[in-house]
Amino acid sequence: MADKQLDTVYTKATALLSKGFNAGDGYPQVWIRDFNTFIETSCKVYSRDSIRTNLLTFIRLQQPNGEIVDGYVLKGHVTWNDPNIYTSPNDKSHVGFKNTVETDQETSLIQAIAKYIRVTGDKSILQETIAGKTALQHLEISISYLLKNRYSKKYHLLTGATTQDWGDVQIEGGAVVDVDENTHWAIDIYDNAMFVIALNDMAGFYKTGTERQKWLQLKTTTISSIRKHLWDAKKHKFIPHLYLDKSPFPASFDENKIYFHGGTAVAIEAGILSKNEIRLVNQDMLRNVKLSGAPSIGLTLYPIYPEGIYKNSSSSKPFIYQNGGDWTWFGARMIQQLIRYGFVKEAYEELQPMINRTIKDNGFYEWYGVDGKPNGSAAFKGSAGVLAKAIDQLKEWAKNN
């Protein structure tokens, strides 16, 4: 596939990822949900030893209850005035941070390690011993944490705070990124699709069918529960939230009209939807893009949550950040799945707005407004990583076809 624009973006993406994990002011910081989305390209252009060390650092910072942190920095470099700093006797050099409203840190680490192994062939990382246990045992413990602390036995699905799709800000205000007395516990597609992918990866870490069976059975149960409780077959969409107790919204507000694009893309990656359902979902996303005026299918959700519906008013501004912002970080993941499932023409066409704006704005921005203006960091590795992978997939398809 000869396309100079694709080549230009790919070159820019690999150049950014080859610089490693330093933030804009020079100190190293690694966030696992981001790292998981660009690790494959990083393994091709950056030190694999460093990547291996970064993955193992998350395990060294694992908490006594088994949970995995969001991200970490070197001690003394930055705190962001976060009152909840995570430390571990197994790592004297770093401090960790965690937005507890999310339920994707453990699953992101498992996926990232699986991707690292697939690219490098280095299975020995699973046998690395930390605090008397192998890395694989630590990953098992992280799943146990989820099943003990973030699992609904009634619905057989993971739980989390009420957020906008895959977002990291809870709608009730209060601690904003941390679970507190304001939290309305809910079940959504993003967390559970991530869980399905991670369970499949866990099964792949073992040598025998007997060892794999536990994880594959839990994966099957989770997919079945997602289809039963979250998937609306008539509207071919996932409901935004299934609440364990009550909704934080007034009865006059019909949240089920809202379409979560990001979580849906991850659900496709998890193998939860059929090819025909993917076709319908893609048509829905394109329709939402047209109705909203957004630049691309990176549109987070639509219709947006109306302004003033949240106690956390900053999160309900129309088409701002996670409330209808357009994120290449998730849009390009949908592109990846379209290619994977044979919708190559659609993928190529729907990728173009993301490619064009990356070239026009000379950067990998975090998100775009409906007006097409870029926002956030211009060197967001998540955006670079998902674009690079999508371009790799297109070129691979072209080579074989």
Side-chain angles (χ1 to χ4, degrees), residues 52-225:
R52 189 181 195 275
T53 298
N54 287 330
L55 290 170
L56 292 172
T57 298
F58 281 100
I59 294 178
R60 292 190 178 94
L61 285 170
Q62 186 173 33
Q63 297 299 291
N65 65 356
E67 69 182 313
I68 299 297
V69 298
D70 255 325
Y72 64 81
V73 295
L74 286 171
K75 281 184 178 178
H77 278 241
V78 67
T79 65
W80 295 291
N81 297 314
D82 192 327
N84 302 309
I85 303 297
Y86 292 75
T87 60
S88 169
N90 303 317
D91 189 318
K92 304 293 186 182
S93 302
H94 299 93
V95 294
F97 304 89
K98 185 166 186 173
N99 294 351
T100 57
V101 298
E102 303 166 19
T103 310
D104 71 343
Q105 296 90 349
E106 293 76 21
T107 54
S108 292
L109 178 60
I110 291 166
Q111 291 177 37
I113 289 176
K115 290 171 183 174
Y116 166 81
I117 292 171
R118 284 195 289 269
V119 174
T120 67
D122 177 20
K123 296 181 181 179
S124 71
I125 189 173
L126 295 172
Q127 302 308 317
E128 184 80 18
T129 301
I130 296 170
K133 293 183 175 65
T134 66
L136 181 55
Q137 288 174 317
H138 282 282
L139 296 181
E140 293 172 349
I141 291 168
S142 75
I143 296 286
S144 296
Y145 161 78
L146 292 176
L147 296 177
K148 181 179 179 180
N149 298 280
R150 294 296 183 97
Y151 194 71
S152 167
K153 292 182 180 179
K154 177 180 178 180
Y155 296 109
H156 301 288
L157 292 168
L158 293 187
T159 65
T162 304
T163 64
Q164 298 158 329
D165 198 353
W166 49 269
D168 56 1
V169 176
Q170 71 174 345
I171 65 93
E172 298 93 337
V176 183
V177 297
D178 287 313
V179 167
D180 63 8
E181 66 277 4
N182 298 299
T183 299
H184 289 73
W185 287 95
I187 294 168
D188 65 30
I189 182 56
Y190 169 70
D191 291 336
N192 284 283
M194 289 289 286
F195 190 43
V196 169
I197 298 168
L199 291 171
N200 193 62
D201 286 334
M202 285 294 290
F205 292 154
Y206 298 84
K207 294 180 180 179
T208 69
T210 303
E211 293 172 310
R212 295 173 185 155
Q213 193 55 41
K214 174 175 69 171
W215 306 110
L216 293 177
Q217 182 57 54
L218 185 52
K219 171 191 167 184
T220 299
T221 298
T222 306
I223 291 176
S224 177
S225 297

Side-chain angles (χ1 to χ4, degrees), residues 1-8 10 335 339 343-349 351-352 355 390-401:
M1 182 175 289
D3 191 311
K4 289 184 178 179
Q5 286 190 305
L6 293 183
D7 289 340
T8 297
Y10 190 83
I335 301 298
I339 300 166
F343 299 99
V344 180
K345 179 176 181 292
E346 293 87 343
Y348 181 80
E349 292 174 352
L351 179 62
Q352 295 311 304
I355 294 294
I391 293 168
D392 266 337
Q393 286 177 290
L394 281 172
K395 290 185 177 296
E396 183 67 20
W397 178 89
K399 186 174 73 174
N400 294 328
N401 291 275

Side-chain angles (χ1 to χ4, degrees), residues 24-74:
D25 54 0
Y27 57 80
Q29 59 171 283
V30 186
W31 299 92
I32 193 57
R33 60 171 8 197
D34 300 11
F35 191 17
N36 178 44
T37 62
F38 63 79
I39 187 169
E40 290 149 305
T41 305
S42 286
C43 283
K44 299 174 183 178
V45 299
Y46 189 63
S47 163
R48 292 184 178 182
D49 288 343
S50 295
I51 290 169
R52 189 181 195 275
T53 298
N54 287 330
L55 290 170
L56 292 172
T57 298
F58 281 100
I59 294 178
R60 292 190 178 94
L61 285 170
Q62 186 173 33
Q63 297 299 291
N65 65 356
E67 69 182 313
I68 299 297
V69 298
D70 255 325
Y72 64 81
V73 295
L74 286 171

